């Protein structure tokens, strides 16, 4: 028999979480379309490449400008990967808060990471092409 998690505010009319939606998989959110799901899977694959290339350059993760709160959010590689995987399962992103005192020099944008990866791929292809 599986026990339900203990809720210390069960039945409390002043429950501070009462306005939040249930965060379980498939609850409170529309499932991703096939195209949205593929976009997230592509982002996860890209993330692996970016991490492999940029960790060696002391980059800790990516910075994302949040449309909701208009504050940049700094995500370490593992946290961003977990958030994308959660999006695949739950159909929405997690509640988020800005990181505590991140060093912006240790994070890059998706666009920078994509450009860096493209540049590295071009350099490898040029090195492999004897006519270049």
């Amino acid at each position: 028999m599986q026990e339900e998690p203990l809720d210390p505010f069960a039945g409390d009319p002043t429950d501070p979480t009462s306005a939040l939606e249930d965060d379980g998989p498939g609850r409170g959110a529309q499932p991703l379309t096939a195209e949205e799901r593929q976009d997230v899977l592509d982002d996860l694959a890209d993330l692996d490449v970016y991490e492999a290339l940029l960790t060696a350059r002391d980059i800790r993760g990516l910075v994302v400008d949040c449309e909701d709160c208009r504050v940049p959010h700094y995500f370490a590689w593992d946290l961003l990967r977990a958030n994308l995987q959660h999006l695949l399962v739950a159909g929405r992103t997690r509640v988020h808060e800005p990181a505590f005192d991140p060093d912006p020099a240790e994070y890059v944008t998706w666009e920078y990471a994509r450009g860096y990866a493209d540049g590295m791929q071009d350099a490898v292809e040029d090195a492999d092409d004897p006519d270049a």
Side-chain angles (χ1 to χ4, degrees), residues 65-89:
D65 288 325
C66 180
E67 294 176 12
D68 294 333
C69 63
R70 308 242 186 257
V71 173
H73 293 282
Y74 298 86
F75 292 98
W77 303 114
D78 290 340
L79 179 58
L80 186 52
R81 185 174 293 103
N83 285 347
L84 289 170
Q85 290 168 339
H86 180 266
L87 179 58
L88 282 175
V89 172

mmCIF file with all atom_site columns, all heavy atoms in Angstrom, residues 65-89:
data_model
loop_
_atom_site.group_PDB
_atom_site.id
_atom_site.type_symbol
_atom_site.label_atom_id
_atom_site.label_alt_id
_atom_site.label_comp_id
_atom_site.label_asym_id
_atom_site.label_entity_id
_atom_site.label_seq_id
_atom_site.pdbx_PDB_ins_code
_atom_site.Cartn_x
_atom_site.Cartn_y
_atom_site.Cartn_z
_atom_site.occupancy
_atom_site.B_iso_or_equiv
_atom_site.pdbx_formal_charge
_atom_site.auth_seq_id
_atom_site.auth_comp_id
_atom_site.auth_asym_id
_atom_site.auth_atom_id
_atom_site.pdbx_PDB_model_num
ATOM 1   N N   . ASP A 1 65 ? 16.382 34.829 -20.474 1.00 0.00 ? 65 ASP A N   1
ATOM 2   C CA  . ASP A 1 65 ? 15.585 35.989 -20.089 1.00 0.00 ? 65 ASP A CA  1
ATOM 3   C C   . ASP A 1 65 ? 14.145 35.533 -19.904 1.00 0.00 ? 65 ASP A C   1
ATOM 4   O O   . ASP A 1 65 ? 13.500 35.059 -20.842 1.00 0.00 ? 65 ASP A O   1
ATOM 5   C CB  . ASP A 1 65 ? 15.664 37.087 -21.149 1.00 0.00 ? 65 ASP A CB  1
ATOM 6   C CG  . ASP A 1 65 ? 17.017 37.771 -21.179 1.00 0.00 ? 65 ASP A CG  1
ATOM 7   O OD1 . ASP A 1 65 ? 17.622 37.918 -20.102 1.00 0.00 ? 65 ASP A OD1 1
ATOM 8   O OD2 . ASP A 1 65 ? 17.474 38.135 -22.272 1.00 0.00 ? 65 ASP A OD2 1
ATOM 9   N N   . CYS A 1 66 ? 13.645 35.670 -18.691 1.00 0.00 ? 66 CYS A N   1
ATOM 10  C CA  . CYS A 1 66 ? 12.303 35.209 -18.349 1.00 0.00 ? 66 CYS A CA  1
ATOM 11  C C   . CYS A 1 66 ? 11.257 36.207 -18.851 1.00 0.00 ? 66 CYS A C   1
ATOM 12  O O   . CYS A 1 66 ? 11.309 37.389 -18.493 1.00 0.00 ? 66 CYS A O   1
ATOM 13  C CB  . CYS A 1 66 ? 12.181 35.036 -16.843 1.00 0.00 ? 66 CYS A CB  1
ATOM 14  S SG  . CYS A 1 66 ? 10.560 34.460 -16.321 1.00 0.00 ? 66 CYS A SG  1
ATOM 15  N N   . GLU A 1 67 ? 10.320 35.715 -19.642 1.00 0.00 ? 67 GLU A N   1
ATOM 16  C CA  . GLU A 1 67 ? 9.254  36.572 -20.158 1.00 0.00 ? 67 GLU A CA  1
ATOM 17  C C   . GLU A 1 67 ? 8.259  36.945 -19.062 1.00 0.00 ? 67 GLU A C   1
ATOM 18  O O   . GLU A 1 67 ? 7.645  38.001 -19.126 1.00 0.00 ? 67 GLU A O   1
ATOM 19  C CB  . GLU A 1 67 ? 8.528  35.871 -21.298 1.00 0.00 ? 67 GLU A CB  1
ATOM 20  C CG  . GLU A 1 67 ? 9.398  35.658 -22.517 1.00 0.00 ? 67 GLU A CG  1
ATOM 21  C CD  . GLU A 1 67 ? 8.686  34.864 -23.601 1.00 0.00 ? 67 GLU A CD  1
ATOM 22  O OE1 . GLU A 1 67 ? 7.462  34.666 -23.511 1.00 0.00 ? 67 GLU A OE1 1
ATOM 23  O OE2 . GLU A 1 67 ? 9.371  34.432 -24.539 1.00 0.00 ? 67 GLU A OE2 1
ATOM 24  N N   . ASP A 1 68 ? 8.092  36.065 -18.059 1.00 0.00 ? 68 ASP A N   1
ATOM 25  C CA  . ASP A 1 68 ? 7.118  36.311 -16.999 1.00 0.00 ? 68 ASP A CA  1
ATOM 26  C C   . ASP A 1 68 ? 7.551  37.412 -16.039 1.00 0.00 ? 68 ASP A C   1
ATOM 27  O O   . ASP A 1 68 ? 6.795  38.323 -15.742 1.00 0.00 ? 68 ASP A O   1
ATOM 28  C CB  . ASP A 1 68 ? 6.846  35.034 -16.205 1.00 0.00 ? 68 ASP A CB  1
ATOM 29  C CG  . ASP A 1 68 ? 6.173  33.977 -17.045 1.00 0.00 ? 68 ASP A CG  1
ATOM 30  O OD1 . ASP A 1 68 ? 5.475  34.336 -18.014 1.00 0.00 ? 68 ASP A OD1 1
ATOM 31  O OD2 . ASP A 1 68 ? 6.348  32.784 -16.745 1.00 0.00 ? 68 ASP A OD2 1
ATOM 32  N N   . CYS A 1 69 ? 8.789  37.313 -15.550 1.00 0.00 ? 69 CYS A N   1
ATOM 33  C CA  . CYS A 1 69 ? 9.220  38.248 -14.510 1.00 0.00 ? 69 CYS A CA  1
ATOM 34  C C   . CYS A 1 69 ? 10.268 39.245 -14.994 1.00 0.00 ? 69 CYS A C   1
ATOM 35  O O   . CYS A 1 69 ? 10.688 40.113 -14.240 1.00 0.00 ? 69 CYS A O   1
ATOM 36  C CB  . CYS A 1 69 ? 9.729  37.493 -13.283 1.00 0.00 ? 69 CYS A CB  1
ATOM 37  S SG  . CYS A 1 69 ? 11.170 36.479 -13.587 1.00 0.00 ? 69 CYS A SG  1
ATOM 38  N N   . ARG A 1 70 ? 10.683 39.120 -16.254 1.00 0.00 ? 70 ARG A N   1
ATOM 39  C CA  . ARG A 1 70 ? 11.636 40.054 -16.872 1.00 0.00 ? 70 ARG A CA  1
ATOM 40  C C   . ARG A 1 70 ? 12.978 40.113 -16.131 1.00 0.00 ? 70 ARG A C   1
ATOM 41  O O   . ARG A 1 70 ? 13.619 41.142 -16.063 1.00 0.00 ? 70 ARG A O   1
ATOM 42  C CB  . ARG A 1 70 ? 11.044 41.443 -16.980 1.00 0.00 ? 70 ARG A CB  1
ATOM 43  C CG  . ARG A 1 70 ? 9.689  41.490 -17.644 1.00 0.00 ? 70 ARG A CG  1
ATOM 44  C CD  . ARG A 1 70 ? 9.751  42.310 -18.894 1.00 0.00 ? 70 ARG A CD  1
ATOM 45  N NE  . ARG A 1 70 ? 8.431  42.485 -19.458 1.00 0.00 ? 70 ARG A NE  1
ATOM 46  C CZ  . ARG A 1 70 ? 7.997  41.809 -20.521 1.00 0.00 ? 70 ARG A CZ  1
ATOM 47  N NH1 . ARG A 1 70 ? 8.777  40.952 -21.099 1.00 0.00 ? 70 ARG A NH1 1
ATOM 48  N NH2 . ARG A 1 70 ? 6.794  42.010 -20.990 1.00 0.00 ? 70 ARG A NH2 1
ATOM 49  N N   . VAL A 1 71 ? 13.369 38.965 -15.568 1.00 0.00 ? 71 VAL A N   1
ATOM 50  C CA  . VAL A 1 71 ? 14.639 38.849 -14.860 1.00 0.00 ? 71 VAL A CA  1
ATOM 51  C C   . VAL A 1 71 ? 15.412 37.707 -15.514 1.00 0.00 ? 71 VAL A C   1
ATOM 52  O O   . VAL A 1 71 ? 14.829 36.665 -15.806 1.00 0.00 ? 71 VAL A O   1
ATOM 53  C CB  . VAL A 1 71 ? 14.394 38.537 -13.362 1.00 0.00 ? 71 VAL A CB  1
ATOM 54  C CG1 . VAL A 1 71 ? 15.694 38.241 -12.641 1.00 0.00 ? 71 VAL A CG1 1
ATOM 55  C CG2 . VAL A 1 71 ? 13.656 39.679 -12.692 1.00 0.00 ? 71 VAL A CG2 1
ATOM 56  N N   . PRO A 1 72 ? 16.702 37.880 -15.749 1.00 0.00 ? 72 PRO A N   1
ATOM 57  C CA  . PRO A 1 72 ? 17.462 36.757 -16.307 1.00 0.00 ? 72 PRO A CA  1
ATOM 58  C C   . PRO A 1 72 ? 17.591 35.631 -15.277 1.00 0.00 ? 72 PRO A C   1
ATOM 59  O O   . PRO A 1 72 ? 17.819 35.885 -14.098 1.00 0.00 ? 72 PRO A O   1
ATOM 60  C CB  . PRO A 1 72 ? 18.828 37.363 -16.644 1.00 0.00 ? 72 PRO A CB  1
ATOM 61  C CG  . PRO A 1 72 ? 18.921 38.620 -15.865 1.00 0.00 ? 72 PRO A CG  1
ATOM 62  C CD  . PRO A 1 72 ? 17.527 39.077 -15.563 1.00 0.00 ? 72 PRO A CD  1
ATOM 63  N N   . HIS A 1 73 ? 17.412 34.401 -15.742 1.00 0.00 ? 73 HIS A N   1
ATOM 64  C CA  . HIS A 1 73 ? 17.547 33.225 -14.888 1.00 0.00 ? 73 HIS A CA  1
ATOM 65  C C   . HIS A 1 73 ? 18.783 32.456 -15.325 1.00 0.00 ? 73 HIS A C   1
ATOM 66  O O   . HIS A 1 73 ? 18.965 32.183 -16.501 1.00 0.00 ? 73 HIS A O   1
ATOM 67  C CB  . HIS A 1 73 ? 16.312 32.332 -14.981 1.00 0.00 ? 73 HIS A CB  1
ATOM 68  C CG  . HIS A 1 73 ? 15.092 32.962 -14.419 1.00 0.00 ? 73 HIS A CG  1
ATOM 69  N ND1 . HIS A 1 73 ? 14.854 33.035 -13.075 1.00 0.00 ? 73 HIS A ND1 1
ATOM 70  C CD2 . HIS A 1 73 ? 14.054 33.577 -15.019 1.00 0.00 ? 73 HIS A CD2 1
ATOM 71  C CE1 . HIS A 1 73 ? 13.708 33.660 -12.868 1.00 0.00 ? 73 HIS A CE1 1
ATOM 72  N NE2 . HIS A 1 73 ? 13.202 33.997 -14.037 1.00 0.00 ? 73 HIS A NE2 1
ATOM 73  N N   . TYR A 1 74 ? 19.615 32.127 -14.355 1.00 0.00 ? 74 TYR A N   1
ATOM 74  C CA  . TYR A 1 74 ? 20.864 31.422 -14.595 1.00 0.00 ? 74 TYR A CA  1
ATOM 75  C C   . TYR A 1 74 ? 20.664 29.957 -14.226 1.00 0.00 ? 74 TYR A C   1
ATOM 76  O O   . TYR A 1 74 ? 20.352 29.651 -13.081 1.00 0.00 ? 74 TYR A O   1
ATOM 77  C CB  . TYR A 1 74 ? 21.991 32.048 -13.777 1.00 0.00 ? 74 TYR A CB  1
ATOM 78  C CG  . TYR A 1 74 ? 22.235 33.480 -14.178 1.00 0.00 ? 74 TYR A CG  1
ATOM 79  C CD1 . TYR A 1 74 ? 21.513 34.519 -13.619 1.00 0.00 ? 74 TYR A CD1 1
ATOM 80  C CD2 . TYR A 1 74 ? 23.173 33.786 -15.161 1.00 0.00 ? 74 TYR A CD2 1
ATOM 81  C CE1 . TYR A 1 74 ? 21.728 35.839 -14.010 1.00 0.00 ? 74 TYR A CE1 1
ATOM 82  C CE2 . TYR A 1 74 ? 23.387 35.096 -15.564 1.00 0.00 ? 74 TYR A CE2 1
ATOM 83  C CZ  . TYR A 1 74 ? 22.656 36.114 -14.984 1.00 0.00 ? 74 TYR A CZ  1
ATOM 84  O OH  . TYR A 1 74 ? 22.870 37.410 -15.379 1.00 0.00 ? 74 TYR A OH  1
ATOM 85  N N   . PHE A 1 75 ? 20.813 29.079 -15.222 1.00 0.00 ? 75 PHE A N   1
ATOM 86  C CA  . PHE A 1 75 ? 20.582 27.659 -15.021 1.00 0.00 ? 75 PHE A CA  1
ATOM 87  C C   . PHE A 1 75 ? 21.874 26.882 -15.200 1.00 0.00 ? 75 PHE A C   1
ATOM 88  O O   . PHE A 1 75 ? 22.497 26.942 -16.265 1.00 0.00 ? 75 PHE A O   1
ATOM 89  C CB  . PHE A 1 75 ? 19.575 27.119 -16.047 1.00 0.00 ? 75 PHE A CB  1
ATOM 90  C CG  . PHE A 1 75 ? 18.181 27.640 -15.866 1.00 0.00 ? 75 PHE A CG  1
ATOM 91  C CD1 . PHE A 1 75 ? 17.724 28.701 -16.625 1.00 0.00 ? 75 PHE A CD1 1
ATOM 92  C CD2 . PHE A 1 75 ? 17.323 27.062 -14.946 1.00 0.00 ? 75 PHE A CD2 1
ATOM 93  C CE1 . PHE A 1 75 ? 16.436 29.181 -16.477 1.00 0.00 ? 75 PHE A CE1 1
ATOM 94  C CE2 . PHE A 1 75 ? 16.029 27.530 -14.792 1.00 0.00 ? 75 PHE A CE2 1
ATOM 95  C CZ  . PHE A 1 75 ? 15.587 28.598 -15.553 1.00 0.00 ? 75 PHE A CZ  1
ATOM 96  N N   . ALA A 1 76 ? 22.255 26.126 -14.168 1.00 0.00 ? 76 ALA A N   1
ATOM 97  C CA  . ALA A 1 76 ? 23.355 25.179 -14.328 1.00 0.00 ? 76 ALA A CA  1
ATOM 98  C C   . ALA A 1 76 ? 22.872 24.090 -15.286 1.00 0.00 ? 76 ALA A C   1
ATOM 99  O O   . ALA A 1 76 ? 21.669 23.878 -15.463 1.00 0.00 ? 76 ALA A O   1
ATOM 100 C CB  . ALA A 1 76 ? 23.744 24.590 -12.978 1.00 0.00 ? 76 ALA A CB  1
ATOM 101 N N   . TRP A 1 77 ? 23.822 23.402 -15.902 1.00 0.00 ? 77 TRP A N   1
ATOM 102 C CA  . TRP A 1 77 ? 23.476 22.401 -16.916 1.00 0.00 ? 77 TRP A CA  1
ATOM 103 C C   . TRP A 1 77 ? 22.455 21.391 -16.401 1.00 0.00 ? 77 TRP A C   1
ATOM 104 O O   . TRP A 1 77 ? 21.453 21.119 -17.077 1.00 0.00 ? 77 TRP A O   1
ATOM 105 C CB  . TRP A 1 77 ? 24.732 21.666 -17.378 1.00 0.00 ? 77 TRP A CB  1
ATOM 106 C CG  . TRP A 1 77 ? 25.789 22.568 -17.923 1.00 0.00 ? 77 TRP A CG  1
ATOM 107 C CD1 . TRP A 1 77 ? 27.024 22.806 -17.379 1.00 0.00 ? 77 TRP A CD1 1
ATOM 108 C CD2 . TRP A 1 77 ? 25.739 23.364 -19.118 1.00 0.00 ? 77 TRP A CD2 1
ATOM 109 N NE1 . TRP A 1 77 ? 27.720 23.700 -18.167 1.00 0.00 ? 77 TRP A NE1 1
ATOM 110 C CE2 . TRP A 1 77 ? 26.965 24.055 -19.242 1.00 0.00 ? 77 TRP A CE2 1
ATOM 111 C CE3 . TRP A 1 77 ? 24.773 23.556 -20.097 1.00 0.00 ? 77 TRP A CE3 1
ATOM 112 C CZ2 . TRP A 1 77 ? 27.249 24.918 -20.293 1.00 0.00 ? 77 TRP A CZ2 1
ATOM 113 C CZ3 . TRP A 1 77 ? 25.049 24.414 -21.155 1.00 0.00 ? 77 TRP A CZ3 1
ATOM 114 C CH2 . TRP A 1 77 ? 26.268 25.080 -21.241 1.00 0.00 ? 77 TRP A CH2 1
ATOM 115 N N   . ASP A 1 78 ? 22.696 20.815 -15.214 1.00 0.00 ? 78 ASP A N   1
ATOM 116 C CA  . ASP A 1 78 ? 21.807 19.770 -14.694 1.00 0.00 ? 78 ASP A CA  1
ATOM 117 C C   . ASP A 1 78 ? 20.413 20.298 -14.388 1.00 0.00 ? 78 ASP A C   1
ATOM 118 O O   . ASP A 1 78 ? 19.421 19.607 -14.625 1.00 0.00 ? 78 ASP A O   1
ATOM 119 C CB  . ASP A 1 78 ? 22.404 19.131 -13.436 1.00 0.00 ? 78 ASP A CB  1
ATOM 120 C CG  . ASP A 1 78 ? 23.617 18.281 -13.747 1.00 0.00 ? 78 ASP A CG  1
ATOM 121 O OD1 . ASP A 1 78 ? 23.793 17.870 -14.919 1.00 0.00 ? 78 ASP A OD1 1
ATOM 122 O OD2 . ASP A 1 78 ? 24.412 18.026 -12.825 1.00 0.00 ? 78 ASP A OD2 1
ATOM 123 N N   . LEU A 1 79 ? 20.327 21.514 -13.866 1.00 0.00 ? 79 LEU A N   1
ATOM 124 C CA  . LEU A 1 79 ? 19.027 22.094 -13.549 1.00 0.00 ? 79 LEU A CA  1
ATOM 125 C C   . LEU A 1 79 ? 18.234 22.360 -14.821 1.00 0.00 ? 79 LEU A C   1
ATOM 126 O O   . LEU A 1 79 ? 17.034 22.067 -14.897 1.00 0.00 ? 79 LEU A O   1
ATOM 127 C CB  . LEU A 1 79 ? 19.193 23.382 -12.736 1.00 0.00 ? 79 LEU A CB  1
ATOM 128 C CG  . LEU A 1 79 ? 17.895 24.096 -12.356 1.00 0.00 ? 79 LEU A CG  1
ATOM 129 C CD1 . LEU A 1 79 ? 16.978 23.177 -11.551 1.00 0.00 ? 79 LEU A CD1 1
ATOM 130 C CD2 . LEU A 1 79 ? 18.208 25.363 -11.584 1.00 0.00 ? 79 LEU A CD2 1
ATOM 131 N N   . LEU A 1 80 ? 18.886 22.891 -15.827 1.00 0.00 ? 80 LEU A N   1
ATOM 132 C CA  . LEU A 1 80 ? 18.192 23.157 -17.090 1.00 0.00 ? 80 LEU A CA  1
ATOM 133 C C   . LEU A 1 80 ? 17.722 21.847 -17.723 1.00 0.00 ? 80 LEU A C   1
ATOM 134 O O   . LEU A 1 80 ? 16.595 21.754 -18.213 1.00 0.00 ? 80 LEU A O   1
ATOM 135 C CB  . LEU A 1 80 ? 19.106 23.928 -18.040 1.00 0.00 ? 80 LEU A CB  1
ATOM 136 C CG  . LEU A 1 80 ? 18.461 24.404 -19.336 1.00 0.00 ? 80 LEU A CG  1
ATOM 137 C CD1 . LEU A 1 80 ? 17.170 25.172 -19.098 1.00 0.00 ? 80 LEU A CD1 1
ATOM 138 C CD2 . LEU A 1 80 ? 19.442 25.266 -20.113 1.00 0.00 ? 80 LEU A CD2 1
ATOM 139 N N   . ARG A 1 81 ? 18.569 20.823 -17.676 1.00 0.00 ? 81 ARG A N   1
ATOM 140 C CA  . ARG A 1 81 ? 18.186 19.513 -18.220 1.00 0.00 ? 81 ARG A CA  1
ATOM 141 C C   . ARG A 1 81 ? 16.964 18.969 -17.465 1.00 0.00 ? 81 ARG A C   1
ATOM 142 O O   . ARG A 1 81 ? 16.010 18.491 -18.078 1.00 0.00 ? 81 ARG A O   1
ATOM 143 C CB  . ARG A 1 81 ? 19.351 18.541 -18.102 1.00 0.00 ? 81 ARG A CB  1
ATOM 144 C CG  . ARG A 1 81 ? 19.103 17.192 -18.733 1.00 0.00 ? 81 ARG A CG  1
ATOM 145 C CD  . ARG A 1 81 ? 20.346 16.311 -18.715 1.00 0.00 ? 81 ARG A CD  1
ATOM 146 N NE  . ARG A 1 81 ? 21.384 16.867 -19.590 1.00 0.00 ? 81 ARG A NE  1
ATOM 147 C CZ  . ARG A 1 81 ? 22.469 17.541 -19.168 1.00 0.00 ? 81 ARG A CZ  1
ATOM 148 N NH1 . ARG A 1 81 ? 22.677 17.715 -17.876 1.00 0.00 ? 81 ARG A NH1 1
ATOM 149 N NH2 . ARG A 1 81 ? 23.333 18.026 -20.025 1.00 0.00 ? 81 ARG A NH2 1
ATOM 150 N N   . ALA A 1 82 ? 16.976 19.063 -16.140 1.00 0.00 ? 82 ALA A N   1
ATOM 151 C CA  . ALA A 1 82 ? 15.845 18.587 -15.339 1.00 0.00 ? 82 ALA A CA  1
ATOM 152 C C   . ALA A 1 82 ? 14.571 19.365 -15.660 1.00 0.00 ? 82 ALA A C   1
ATOM 153 O O   . ALA A 1 82 ? 13.486 18.779 -15.736 1.00 0.00 ? 82 ALA A O   1
ATOM 154 C CB  . ALA A 1 82 ? 16.175 18.691 -13.851 1.00 0.00 ? 82 ALA A CB  1
ATOM 155 N N   . ASN A 1 83 ? 14.698 20.674 -15.865 1.00 0.00 ? 83 ASN A N   1
ATOM 156 C CA  . ASN A 1 83 ? 13.520 21.480 -16.202 1.00 0.00 ? 83 ASN A CA  1
ATOM 157 C C   . ASN A 1 83 ? 12.949 21.089 -17.562 1.00 0.00 ? 83 ASN A C   1
ATOM 158 O O   . ASN A 1 83 ? 11.726 21.018 -17.728 1.00 0.00 ? 83 ASN A O   1
ATOM 159 C CB  . ASN A 1 83 ? 13.860 22.965 -16.177 1.00 0.00 ? 83 ASN A CB  1
ATOM 160 C CG  . ASN A 1 83 ? 13.996 23.506 -14.778 1.00 0.00 ? 83 ASN A CG  1
ATOM 161 O OD1 . ASN A 1 83 ? 13.618 22.856 -13.804 1.00 0.00 ? 83 ASN A OD1 1
ATOM 162 N ND2 . ASN A 1 83 ? 14.560 24.688 -14.654 1.00 0.00 ? 83 ASN A ND2 1
ATOM 163 N N   . LEU A 1 84 ? 13.801 20.831 -18.533 1.00 0.00 ? 84 LEU A N   1
ATOM 164 C CA  . LEU A 1 84 ? 13.322 20.420 -19.855 1.00 0.00 ? 84 LEU A CA  1
ATOM 165 C C   . LEU A 1 84 ? 12.669 19.040 -19.788 1.00 0.00 ? 84 LEU A C   1
ATOM 166 O O   . LEU A 1 84 ? 11.628 18.805 -20.414 1.00 0.00 ? 84 LEU A O   1
ATOM 167 C CB  . LEU A 1 84 ? 14.466 20.430 -20.869 1.00 0.00 ? 84 LEU A CB  1
ATOM 168 C CG  . LEU A 1 84 ? 14.968 21.812 -21.280 1.00 0.00 ? 84 LEU A CG  1
ATOM 169 C CD1 . LEU A 1 84 ? 16.253 21.701 -22.082 1.00 0.00 ? 84 LEU A CD1 1
ATOM 170 C CD2 . LEU A 1 84 ? 13.898 22.570 -22.056 1.00 0.00 ? 84 LEU A CD2 1
ATOM 171 N N   . GLN A 1 85 ? 13.249 18.134 -19.012 1.00 0.00 ? 85 GLN A N   1
ATOM 172 C CA  . GLN A 1 85 ? 12.659 16.805 -18.858 1.00 0.00 ? 85 GLN A CA  1
ATOM 173 C C   . GLN A 1 85 ? 11.304 16.897 -18.155 1.00 0.00 ? 85 GLN A C   1
ATOM 174 O O   . GLN A 1 85 ? 10.364 16.191 -18.508 1.00 0.00 ? 85 GLN A O   1
ATOM 175 C CB  . GLN A 1 85 ? 13.620 15.881 -18.112 1.00 0.00 ? 85 GLN A CB  1
ATOM 176 C CG  . GLN A 1 85 ? 14.815 15.527 -18.961 1.00 0.00 ? 85 GLN A CG  1
ATOM 177 C CD  . GLN A 1 85 ? 15.947 14.860 -18.186 1.00 0.00 ? 85 GLN A CD  1
ATOM 178 O OE1 . GLN A 1 85 ? 16.042 14.984 -16.963 1.00 0.00 ? 85 GLN A OE1 1
ATOM 179 N NE2 . GLN A 1 85 ? 16.813 14.177 -18.902 1.00 0.00 ? 85 GLN A NE2 1
ATOM 180 N N   . HIS A 1 86 ? 11.203 17.792 -17.192 1.00 0.00 ? 86 HIS A N   1
ATOM 181 C CA  . HIS A 1 86 ? 9.924  18.008 -16.504 1.00 0.00 ? 86 HIS A CA  1
ATOM 182 C C   . HIS A 1 86 ? 8.882  18.545 -17.489 1.00 0.00 ? 86 HIS A C   1
ATOM 183 O O   . HIS A 1 86 ? 7.721  18.139 -17.458 1.00 0.00 ? 86 HIS A O   1
ATOM 184 C CB  . HIS A 1 86 ? 10.110 18.984 -15.333 1.00 0.00 ? 86 HIS A CB  1
ATOM 185 C CG  . HIS A 1 86 ? 8.854  19.254 -14.587 1.00 0.00 ? 86 HIS A CG  1
ATOM 186 N ND1 . HIS A 1 86 ? 8.038  20.315 -14.870 1.00 0.00 ? 86 HIS A ND1 1
ATOM 187 C CD2 . HIS A 1 86 ? 8.252  18.592 -13.564 1.00 0.00 ? 86 HIS A CD2 1
ATOM 188 C CE1 . HIS A 1 86 ? 6.996  20.307 -14.062 1.00 0.00 ? 86 HIS A CE1 1
ATOM 189 N NE2 . HIS A 1 86 ? 7.110  19.272 -13.262 1.00 0.00 ? 86 HIS A NE2 1
ATOM 190 N N   . LEU A 1 87 ? 9.290  19.436 -18.362 1.00 0.00 ? 87 LEU A N   1
ATOM 191 C CA  . LEU A 1 87 ? 8.388  19.977 -19.379 1.00 0.00 ? 87 LEU A CA  1
ATOM 192 C C   . LEU A 1 87 ? 7.849  18.858 -20.268 1.00 0.00 ? 87 LEU A C   1
ATOM 193 O O   . LEU A 1 87 ? 6.664  18.846 -20.609 1.00 0.00 ? 87 LEU A O   1
ATOM 194 C CB  . LEU A 1 87 ? 9.118  21.040 -20.209 1.00 0.00 ? 87 LEU A CB  1
ATOM 195 C CG  . LEU A 1 87 ? 8.347  21.699 -21.345 1.00 0.00 ? 87 LEU A CG  1
ATOM 196 C CD1 . LEU A 1 87 ? 7.082  22.372 -20.843 1.00 0.00 ? 87 LEU A CD1 1
ATOM 197 C CD2 . LEU A 1 87 ? 9.243  22.710 -22.062 1.00 0.00 ? 87 LEU A CD2 1
ATOM 198 N N   . LEU A 1 88 ? 8.685  17.912 -20.619 1.00 0.00 ? 88 LEU A N   1
ATOM 199 C CA  . LEU A 1 88 ? 8.232  16.770 -21.430 1.00 0.00 ? 88 LEU A CA  1
ATOM 200 C C   . LEU A 1 88 ? 7.159  15.964 -20.710 1.00 0.00 ? 88 LEU A C   1
ATOM 201 O O   . LEU A 1 88 ? 6.180  15.529 -21.316 1.00 0.00 ? 88 LEU A O   1
ATOM 202 C CB  . LEU A 1 88 ? 9.403  15.842 -21.758 1.00 0.00 ? 88 LEU A CB  1
ATOM 203 C CG  . LEU A 1 88 ? 10.337 16.271 -22.855 1.00 0.00 ? 88 LEU A CG  1
ATOM 204 C CD1 . LEU A 1 88 ? 11.504 15.298 -22.967 1.00 0.00 ? 88 LEU A CD1 1
ATOM 205 C CD2 . LEU A 1 88 ? 9.622  16.398 -24.188 1.00 0.00 ? 88 LEU A CD2 1
ATOM 206 N N   . VAL A 1 89 ? 7.339  15.768 -19.412 1.00 0.00 ? 89 VAL A N   1
ATOM 207 C CA  . VAL A 1 89 ? 6.423  14.937 -18.636 1.00 0.00 ? 89 VAL A CA  1
ATOM 208 C C   . VAL A 1 89 ? 5.152  15.702 -18.247 1.00 0.00 ? 89 VAL A C   1
ATOM 209 O O   . VAL A 1 89 ? 4.039  15.199 -18.408 1.00 0.00 ? 89 VAL A O   1
ATOM 210 C CB  . VAL A 1 89 ? 7.122  14.413 -17.358 1.00 0.00 ? 89 VAL A CB  1
ATOM 211 C CG1 . VAL A 1 89 ? 6.138  13.712 -16.439 1.00 0.00 ? 89 VAL A CG1 1
ATOM 212 C CG2 . VAL A 1 89 ? 8.258  13.489 -17.737 1.00 0.00 ? 89 VAL A CG2 1
#
